[in-house]
Amino acid sequence: MYKGLINRYTDFLPVSENTPQLTLNEGNTPLLYLPTLSNEWGIELYVKLEGLNPTGSFKDRGMVMAVAKAKEEGSTAIICASTGNTSAAAAAYAARAGMKCIVIIPNGKIAYGKLAQAVMYGAHIISIDGNFDHALQMVRKISETEPITLVNSVNPYRIEGQKTAAFELCEQLEAAPDVLAIPVGNAGNITAYWKGFLEYNQAKGYSLPKMHGFQAEGAAPIVNNQKVENPETIATAIRIGNPASWKQAVNAINQSDGKIDSVSDDEILEAYKLIASKEGVFAEPGSCASIAGVYKHLQNGFIKRGSKVVAILTGNGLKDPDIAIQSNQIEPILLPNDQKIVSEHLQGVVTV
Ligand code: F0G
C-alpha cells in the first residue's frame, strides 16, 4: 500500500527514526499524456497533475516534510504567508499532526476554495491589507521572536519534500523530459524540482531537463530582474513581486540551459480553457502559466518540435470556481421542468 512521501522516499529525505510518519497520502500523482495538444503542437506533451494531491496542490509535498520536522523538533505551532495553497496545505497537515496553524493572506486576493480549506482545517486566519510579499516579511519576523515554526518555502524541509515530484516524474517517464515547464511565484518549486533532478542524475543516472519557468506578466520580477512593488495578475497563486528563492531559480535556469519568461493573463486564460476543453484537464489559472509558456516557447523556437515536454499543473481547477465562471460564456440555460421543451431546445444544439 502507498504510504505517502516520507515513507516512499526515506532514503532521499532528511528523516530519522524520530521523524513522525505524517501523511495524508500526498504525492504519487499521475503523469498524463495530452494527445490532442501533442498532435497539434508537434511535441510529446505530458502534464503532472499536482492538483490531485490531498489538498489539491503541490504544496502538500513540502508541507508534510516541514510539519513532520516541526513536530519532531517539539514545535506546537506553525505559521505561513500565502496566496492560498500553502495555507490550505499548512492547515491540513497541522490538523493531522495536532498542531496550531496561523496563516497570513492578502485580503481579497485568494481564491475562495483555498480560503474554504483553511477555514475547514481550523487555521487561525489573518487577512492583511497588503500583498503576499508583505505577508511573508511579516511571518519571517514573527517566527524569529515567537515559538512558532515558519513553513513557507524558505524552510528548507519544504524544498526537500517538493523535490520528490522530480523523482516521480523520472520514474513515470522512465527518463527525464527534455523540457520541464513550471509556473514561478515565490520560486520554491522550480528550486525543488532542479534539486530533485540533480539528485536523481547523481544517484540513478537520469539526464537533466532544461528548466523553463513562467511568471505572470504583471508579476514577473525574475524575468525583468527587478522587484515588483504592486504585482497584479488574474493568477492570484503567483501574484508575487519579490520571490524568496529568486537566486535559486536563476541558478536552476542557468545551470540547466533553460529560460525564464512571462505570459500575459490572456495567454494564461487561453491555456486554462484549452486544456479543459480539449484534454479534459481542469487546473487553476496559476498552474496554466506552464502550458501558456510551452505554447509561447514553441512559437519563438525556445522549445524545439519533437521535444518531450512535461508541464507541471500545480493546483486543481476547483480551487478557483469564480474565475472559471467569469471567464466563460457558457452558462446554464434555464428551461421549464418539461422534457418536451428540453428536447426541442436540444434539437438546435446537439447533432449526433
Ligand atoms: N502554482 C500554484 C497553484 C501555486 O499556489 C503557487 C504558489 C505556484 C504555482 C508557484 O510556486 O511559489 O514555489 O514558485 N503558491 C504559494 C502559496 C505562493 O502561498 O500558495 P512557487
Side-chain angles (χ1 to χ4, degrees):
M1 198 178 103
Y2 181 74
K3 292 183 189 155
L5 287 178
I6 292 181
N7 177 271
R8 172 71 183 83
Y9 292 111
T10 309
D11 295 348
F12 286 87
L13 293 172
V15 292
S16 70
E17 66 245 32
N18 299 325
T19 311
Q21 286 285 317
L22 181 67
T23 190
L24 287 167
N25 267 11
E26 61 292 321
N28 197 24
T29 57
L31 183 72
L32 183 72
Y33 179 61
L34 300 188
T36 305
L37 291 186
S38 291
N39 204 24
E40 284 179 11
W41 293 358
I43 53 173
E44 202 181 313
L45 180 60
Y46 300 83
V47 283
K48 188 141 173 76
L49 300 177
E50 288 294 285
L52 296 185
N53 273 298
T55 76
S57 89
F58 72 97
K59 303 286 181 180
D60 294 339
R61 293 181 184 275
M63 206 52 78
V64 69
M65 201 62 243
V67 176
K69 292 306 278 188
K71 181 98 180 163
E72 180 182 341
E73 287 157 13
S75 174
T76 58
I78 60 171
I79 191 167
C80 67
S82 184
T83 58
N85 282 324
T86 299
S87 58
Y93 283 91
R96 187 81 172 176
M99 297 171 77
K100 287 206 181 79
C101 177
I102 303 151
V103 304
I104 304 195
I105 54 173
N107 190 25
K109 294 290 183 182
I110 88 165
Y112 225 56
K114 302 176 187 180
L115 186 59
Q117 290 180 292
V119 170
M120 279 303 294
Y121 297 131
H124 188 85
I125 306 165
I126 298 164
S127 202
I128 61 160
D129 221 357
N131 59 34
F132 171 86
D133 304 298
H134 302 129
L136 183 59
Q137 243 175 356
M138 225 179 256
V139 294
R140 287 177 101 145
K141 285 258 163 64
I142 293 167
S143 67
E144 276 168 22
T145 53
E146 303 297 321
I148 310 174
T149 307
L150 180 62
V151 294
N152 279 104
S153 57
V154 290
N155 177 328
Y157 297 124
R158 282 279 311 280
I159 304 295
E160 290 299 310
Q162 280 173 215
K163 77 185 178 188
T164 59
F167 299 165
E168 284 177 16
L169 212 160
C170 290
E171 285 157 6
Q172 289 168 315
L173 213 50
E174 294 175 348
D178 300 319
V179 173
L180 187 95
I182 186 167
V184 175
N186 209 28
N189 212 25
I190 191 169
T191 303
Y193 269 86
W194 184 236
K195 187 166 199 286
F197 284 123
L198 286 174
E199 288 184 12
Y200 252 33
N201 172 260
Q202 279 261 306
K204 310 212 172 203
Y206 287 100
S207 60
L208 294 167
K210 291 186 197 307
M211 305 291 285
H212 288 224
F214 298 99
Q215 301 193 292
E217 214 166 72
I222 305 178
V223 179
N224 299 319
N225 198 21
Q226 192 171 22
K227 279 186 212 170
V228 180
E229 286 304 323
N230 296 304
E232 260 327 325
T233 168
I234 191 157
T236 52
I238 52 172
R239 185 175 168 269
I240 294 174
N242 185 17
S245 300
W246 189 323
K247 274 204 201 109
Q248 293 89 326
V250 170
N251 183 46
I253 287 148
N254 290 343
Q255 273 189 13
S256 72
D257 191 25
K259 276 265 178 260
I260 181 97
D261 210 339
S262 63
V263 283
S264 70
D265 279 4
D266 283 349
E267 289 167 330
I268 289 172
L269 285 176
E270 207 171 309
Y272 173 65
K273 292 180 196 172
L274 196 67
I275 56 167
S277 63
K278 292 213 169 183
E279 300 283 6
V281 175
F282 187 24
E284 68 169 284
S287 297
C288 298
S290 63
I291 298 287
V294 169
Y295 185 69
K296 183 172 179 180
H297 281 186
L298 278 167
Q299 304 303 302
N300 64 17
F302 289 147
I303 296 177
K304 302 265 169 292
R305 307 276 160 186
S307 304
K308 194 179 283 194
V309 180
V310 172
I312 307 302
L313 295 181
T314 44
N316 198 301
L318 292 171
K319 292 265 190 181
D320 197 349
D322 294 332
I323 300 263
I325 301 289
Q326 284 161 20
S327 64
N328 276 285
Q329 262 90 52
I330 299 167
E331 278 176 40
I333 290 159
L334 184 63
L335 292 176
N337 178 14
D338 181 325
Q339 183 251 308
K340 210 165 151 259
I341 295 174
V342 174
S343 290
E344 273 168 21
H345 167 77
L346 286 178
Q347 303 260 310
V349 180
V350 187
T351 44
V352 186

